[in-house]
Amino acid sequence: MMSRQGKIGSLCRFLVATNCRSPVTSTKYVRKFIWTWRRSFTEMTRSKWSAGSCRAFPESSYVSSTLQQQCRCLSVSTAMHRKMKPRNELPDKKSKLPKVMSIWKNITVEELAKVVDRSEDDIFEAMLYIPAAENYDHSNMPIDDLEVIREIVKKLGYRSKLVPPPAPEIVKDKYADLDLKPRPIVEADLVSRPPVVTIMGHVDHGKTSLLDALRNTKVAESEAGGITQHIGAFVVKLNDRQISFLDTPGHAAFSALRSRGANVTDLVVLVVAADDGVMEQTRESLRMIREANAQMIIAINKIDKHNADVEKTKRMLLQEAIQLEEFGGDVQCVPISATKGTNLNQLVDAILVQTDLMNLRSEGKGPMEGVVIESKVDPGRGRLCTALVDRGVLRKSAILVAGTAWAKVRGMFDHTGNPLTKATPSTPVEVIGWRDLPPAGEKIYEVESEKLAHKIIEYRRSMEMTEKQKQDEEVIKTKMEEYNKEYKAMLSDKRKQGRYKIRRQGPRPKEIADDDSIRHNVIIKGDTDGSVEAILDVLDTYDCHSQCRMDVIHYGVGDIAESDVKLAEAFQACVYGFNVAIPEKLKPLCKELKVDYLLTNIIYRMVEAMVKDIEKKLPQKDVEEIVGEANVLAVFTITEGKKKIPVAGSRCVKGSLLKNSFFRLTRNNELLYDGPLYSLKHLKQEVETIRNGIECGLSLKDHTILPKEGDVITCYHFVKVPQKCEWDPGF
């Protein structure tokens, strides 16, 4: 049979004979030609072998008539292609491009053509000479082999460098408007709505007791530690009118929850105890009310106590710039007793009158808009949140978006657990069906479809990532400026010394510096997002990193899981759970992995436990303890060999003197010596201890110090005592 060189030579001679003299630049025509030639050659080979001929094919029989026709068509098409794009008219791009091209993994042919500023045909033509490039035959197909990308760039005459893929361009379309502002208000759709009233005040001033008295319940008795630690939403009917109440914690740790309650409310009932008056969290609540620009009613509680002083409380409120009605202001003040039910009707009338004057209205139809009051993970129902409807109507199967979380509403329940079919404005409702846990305080919007919800969430995450990149860029620039400043200063000093290169002085520093500091790693799990937020706010006040560094390894909502235990084992952390449980099957695992955990339902108990755990890790410190004291009565000198040693004849007047302890010699409150003794004798006999009232002779280690009559010698030693953590969380 004819050799491969003979076949190629015959093919070339035929191409010359058919006027296809110029190189074919179009990959499409080249591929078509090669495919046609291979098929024709295969058919001819089979026919010759079937005839039993093994002779070399003559040139006339080697190229079939079909192949000749295809090659002529190819030459005509190529000539037309050259006529449309003459090669001498193409601009010389190579001289204008940089020598090094930026490439990245999974780059497409279309993107590579834009990078090197060449046509896609040039890229495909270069790929013909690369063995592993035949699989990439589409413009939008990503090239996952870096060697193929490098070879393509090399064939085109450039060098390459590997860079990260460019970030996708964020397109702010019409769907992004939901992140910025709610829909416009339509006056024709506005209807009257129930008011939203928030109960605020200092801890243990009777906020929950007041709410219990209004709705005839006993929630305060069932709360852990007798304090409210969650924000609660309830619907109460007063005088045949519906009012939505929000009960906020008064403890100092729950500042964020109080702020959230003030921002979503129409009216605030500020509870002040008549026996305590205005306290710290009362002032903080007043500040939040002013920032939210909310209306306010003062309820002076506990007037039934023997030490209640209503007039003093009013004067304290006046000092906080609260203008009560009886002092010529516009703030209503009602003295009440929540436990006895005194004057509750007056408070209800004041609330109704105030809300009537506000003329509260909202859209009674259309898509729902609201706010997340609280969110948690329920063991039986999954992720759920307590939402307050601001406008529109919420129904089942609605698609909701809050932050970067979305939900298809599977069910709605009121504050008593009864299912609801719809929720109108100013109604607090529990919503189940969230794919992710929505953060407390986020705005909720109802959207048309799941596709639209995914698009909004993707946009928001992109914006968050962009913002984070900007913050990281600022930090990197600051560090680079600091480094360049130090480097230039060092280089300037070297040049002043006649050196133009900076040489490393001393051994090369370690890549990872040894850290022998004491650390206390913690993992926080809470029952609600608001609880976790409050605990993290408390941990932000930790300021004793010089004693022990505290690091939060992980935090989340829900019961303690196996992943939390394994993470704690890896980081030698302690797991703290607030109002959560730990499964029984995890307790043996915690014991096996030596992971400590603490479960509590009172926030300040958790903080106390953290302080105790930190103090266990702190090393004991030396504390000076006074053992005894002696007065110098006379001074004399003894001779030992060639040395003259001064001896202070003294009497122990307090405690006892121990030879192996330290001694301090003072004269007129001026310290002359501080150190060990050389000798302690009683009646020329060396002793270890001198008791109170006994005379003795003391010689100091430093013989150059000469005692005098009237000097005071103090005996002391150091004892080991445990350190105390100085962290003060503020409650």
Side-chain angles (χ1 to χ4, degrees):
M1 293 183 65
M2 182 181 292
S3 64
R4 180 167 181 165
Q5 289 80 2
K7 299 174 187 176
I8 296 175
S10 300
L11 179 61
C12 292
R13 285 193 296 274
F14 176 76
L15 293 176
V16 172
T18 56
N19 295 324
C20 188
R21 298 181 178 85
S22 301
V24 183
T25 59
S26 174
T27 306
K28 180 172 64 177
Y29 297 118
V30 171
R31 287 181 178 174
K32 183 176 180 181
F33 171 75
I34 294 175
W35 178 80
T36 306
W37 180 81
R38 284 181 177 177
R39 186 178 65 177
S40 301
F41 179 73
T42 303
E43 292 176 355
M44 289 185 296
T45 305
R46 289 175 180 173
S47 63
K48 291 295 182 180
W49 275 103
S50 63
S53 176
C54 297
R55 295 176 290 108
F57 298 144
E59 182 175 339
S60 59
S61 62
Y62 177 69
V63 182
S64 65
S65 60
T66 304
L67 180 60
Q68 294 177 14
Q69 183 179 1
Q70 294 289 338
C71 290
R72 289 190 184 95
C73 295
L74 176 63
S75 64
V76 173
S77 301
T78 306
M80 293 177 64
H81 184 71
R82 291 198 305 271
K83 187 175 181 181
M84 292 172 61
K85 289 186 176 181
R87 194 168 185 82
N88 55 3
E89 294 181 9
L90 293 175
D92 187 9
K93 301 285 185 179
K94 186 175 178 181
S95 60
K96 299 180 181 180
L97 290 174
K99 295 182 179 180
V100 181
M101 299 297 173
S102 299
I103 61 173
W104 57 89
K105 192 175 181 180
N106 294 325
I107 189 174
T108 63
V109 175
E110 182 181 1
E111 292 172 341
L112 186 58
K114 292 180 180 179
V115 168
V116 298
D117 199 9
R118 301 282 285 270
S119 66
E120 295 182 15
D121 288 342
D122 291 346
I123 305 299
F124 281 117
E125 184 177 359
M127 292 170 65
L128 290 174
Y129 301 97
I130 300 171
E134 63 271 6
N135 296 327
Y136 312 106
D137 54 355
H138 296 293
S139 298
N140 296 325
M141 180 176 290
I143 306 175
D144 55 359
D145 192 345
L146 286 175
E147 289 300 324
V148 172
I149 303 173
R150 290 192 179 98
E151 289 298 325
I152 294 173
V153 177
K154 186 177 180 181
K155 287 292 183 183
L156 295 173
Y158 308 111
R159 293 181 296 157
S160 61
K161 66 176 180 178
L162 187 63
V163 297
E169 184 179 356
I170 300 175
V171 180
K172 186 175 180 182
D173 53 11
K174 61 180 181 179
Y175 303 131
D177 293 339
L178 292 174
D179 281 334
L180 304 178
K181 58 183 179 180
R183 67 181 187 273
I185 297 176
V186 180
E187 291 290 336
D189 296 338
L190 294 179
V191 295
S192 298
R193 65 173 177 85
V196 179
V197 180
T198 300
I199 310 294
M200 300 182 70
H202 191 74
V203 62
D204 199 27
H205 275 201
K207 299 180 297 298
T208 306
S209 299
L210 172 59
L211 194 55
D212 285 342
L214 294 175
R215 58 184 182 145
N216 297 321
T217 57
K218 296 182 179 180
V219 175
E221 296 179 2
S222 61
E223 289 179 329
I227 60 174
T228 302
Q229 301 177 106
H230 303 87
I231 186 169
F234 312 95
V235 176
V236 181
K237 282 193 175 182
L238 300 176
N239 297 345
D240 296 330
R241 293 179 58 180
Q242 178 179 314
I243 298 179
S244 298
F245 280 97
L246 300 181
D247 185 17
T248 60
H251 198 273
F254 299 95
S255 175
L257 298 187
R258 288 191 295 275
S259 177
R260 193 173 305 131
N263 287 320
V264 300
T265 191
D266 301 317
L267 178 66
V268 175
V269 176
L270 183 62
V271 180
V272 184
D275 55 346
D276 291 336
V278 177
M279 303 292 287
E280 183 61 32
Q281 271 64 60
T282 310
R283 297 185 181 92
E284 184 187 50
S285 299
L286 288 171
R287 177 180 58 81
M288 294 177 180
I289 293 170
R290 293 189 181 101
E291 291 176 355
N293 196 22
Q295 297 293 327
M296 176 175 49
I297 294 177
I298 303 296
I300 301 179
N301 194 20
K302 301 184 181 181
I303 61 174
D304 56 316
K305 284 196 170 185
H306 66 279
N307 57 344
D309 193 341
V310 177
E311 296 302 324
K312 179 182 177 182
T313 305
K314 291 180 180 180
R315 290 193 297 271
M316 295 177 70
L317 290 169
L318 187 60
Q319 293 175 358
E320 298 296 330
I322 303 299
Q323 300 293 332
L324 303 179
E325 285 185 340
E326 56 187 278
F327 297 130
D330 57 353
V331 178
Q332 299 184 68
C333 179
V334 182
I336 64 170
S337 173
T339 56
K340 302 295 183 180
T342 307
N343 295 336
L344 288 183
N345 292 332
Q346 297 181 17
L347 179 61
V348 171
D349 293 339
I351 293 174
L352 296 177
V353 169
Q354 187 67 41
T355 54
D356 287 341
L357 294 174
M358 297 171 67
N359 190 23
L360 302 173
R361 297 192 303 165
S362 181
E363 288 94 330
K365 60 181 181 180
M368 175 265 191
E369 292 181 14
V371 63
V372 179
I373 300 298
E374 191 62 279
S375 59
K376 64 179 180 180
V377 178
D378 189 273
R381 298 182 292 175
R383 302 180 183 91
L384 60 87
C385 81
T386 301
L388 182 66
V389 181
D390 287 339
R391 54 195 298 197
V393 180
L394 177 62
R395 293 181 173 87
K396 291 182 66 174
S397 301
I399 307 299
L400 305 180
V401 175
T404 56
W406 73 280
K408 184 175 182 180
V409 180
R410 293 190 292 110
M412 299 182 297
F413 306 90
D414 61 9
H415 67 281
T416 59
N418 296 323
L420 297 175
T421 57
K422 66 176 183 179
T424 54
S426 300
T427 302
V429 58
E430 279 191 347
V431 179
I432 61 175
W434 291 92
R435 274 33 175 197
D436 295 309
L437 202 64
E442 281 286 347
K443 294 287 292 183
I444 303 177
Y445 295 98
E446 181 181 351
V447 296
E448 300 171 359
S449 62
E450 294 184 15
K451 182 179 180 181
L452 179 56
H454 287 300
K455 195 166 187 178
I456 295 172
I457 290 173
E458 182 180 358
Y459 170 78
R460 290 181 174 182
R461 287 175 178 169
S462 300
M463 294 298 293
E464 289 179 359
M465 186 62 68
T466 303
E467 187 64 27
K468 186 177 183 303
Q469 289 175 351
K470 290 181 180 179
Q471 295 175 359
D472 293 343
E473 184 180 3
E474 293 296 328
V475 174
I476 292 172
K477 286 183 179 179
T478 303
K479 291 185 177 181
M480 284 297 297
E481 290 175 359
E482 294 177 356
Y483 173 78
N484 291 333
K485 187 176 181 180
E486 295 177 0
Y487 178 81
K488 289 180 180 179
M490 187 186 305
L491 187 62
S492 176
D493 293 340
K494 290 292 184 181
R495 287 178 176 175
K496 289 179 181 178
Q497 300 174 9
R499 302 178 186 176
Y500 290 89
K501 290 184 179 181
I502 298 179
R503 298 178 181 177
R504 186 175 64 249
Q505 298 179 353
R508 182 175 181 177
K510 295 182 179 180
E511 293 290 338
I512 301 176
D514 296 332
D515 187 7
D516 298 331
S517 60
I518 303 172
R519 291 179 175 269
H520 183 59
N521 298 328
V522 299
I523 294 177
I524 304 299
K525 296 301 291 286
D527 58 340
T528 65
D529 184 72
S531 300
V532 176
E533 181 185 17
I535 295 171
L536 295 178
D537 288 343
V538 172
L539 296 184
D540 285 341
T541 64
Y542 184 79
D543 55 356
C544 297
H545 293 289
S546 58
Q547 286 184 302
C548 177
R549 183 174 182 83
M550 181 188 292
D551 292 325
V552 179
I553 303 302
H554 172 68
Y555 61 88
V557 179
D559 291 341
I560 298 174
E562 183 178 354
S563 59
D564 300 323
V565 176
K566 292 184 177 180
L567 187 65
E569 190 267 338
F571 285 91
Q572 298 180 356
C574 183
V575 183
Y576 296 93
F578 179 77
N579 271 335
V580 296
I582 180 171
E584 290 295 330
K585 63 179 181 180
L586 289 184
K587 292 182 180 179
L589 180 63
C590 292
K591 188 175 182 181
E592 178 185 352
L593 299 179
K594 298 181 180 179
V595 173
D596 296 330
Y597 64 91
L598 174 72
L599 304 178
T600 182
N601 54 4
I602 303 176
I603 189 168
Y604 60 80
R605 295 279 174 81
M606 177 183 288
V607 175
E608 291 174 357
M610 288 183 183
V611 172
K612 290 181 181 179
D613 292 339
I614 291 174
E615 290 177 349
K616 290 179 183 178
K617 295 185 177 183
L618 296 178
Q620 292 184 336
K621 62 179 181 180
D622 293 328
V623 177
E624 180 182 308
E625 183 181 37
I626 303 297
V627 179
E629 188 176 301
N631 294 332
V632 178
L633 304 178
V635 179
F636 53 91
T637 303
I638 62 173
T639 303
E640 288 186 0
K642 296 182 180 180
K643 295 182 180 180
K644 294 185 179 293
I645 301 173
V647 177
S650 309
R651 178 185 290 115
C652 181
V653 296
K654 185 185 300 182
S656 59
L657 306 180
L658 306 179
K659 181 181 178 182
N660 295 327
S661 298
F662 295 93
F663 289 81
R664 187 180 295 119
L665 177 65
T666 57
R667 181 182 303 158
N668 297 327
N669 296 325
E670 180 182 356
L671 180 64
L672 301 179
Y673 175 77
D674 191 354
L677 281 183
Y678 175 74
S679 175
L680 177 63
K681 293 184 178 182
H682 175 62
L683 300 176
K684 298 185 179 181
Q685 183 179 359
E686 195 75 25
V687 294
E688 296 294 329
T689 306
I690 297 295
R691 295 193 300 272
N692 187 12
I694 299 178
E695 296 182 353
C696 61
L698 299 92
S699 57
L700 306 177
K701 194 75 173 179
D702 187 358
H703 301 323
T704 60
I705 303 298
L706 300 178
K708 290 184 178 180
E709 295 182 9
D711 292 348
V712 178
I713 298 178
T714 305
C715 176
Y716 69 95
H717 62 187
F718 293 98
V719 294
K720 298 284 187 181
V721 296
Q723 291 192 54
K724 294 292 183 182
C725 180
E726 300 176 357
W727 177 31
D728 182 15
F731 54 84

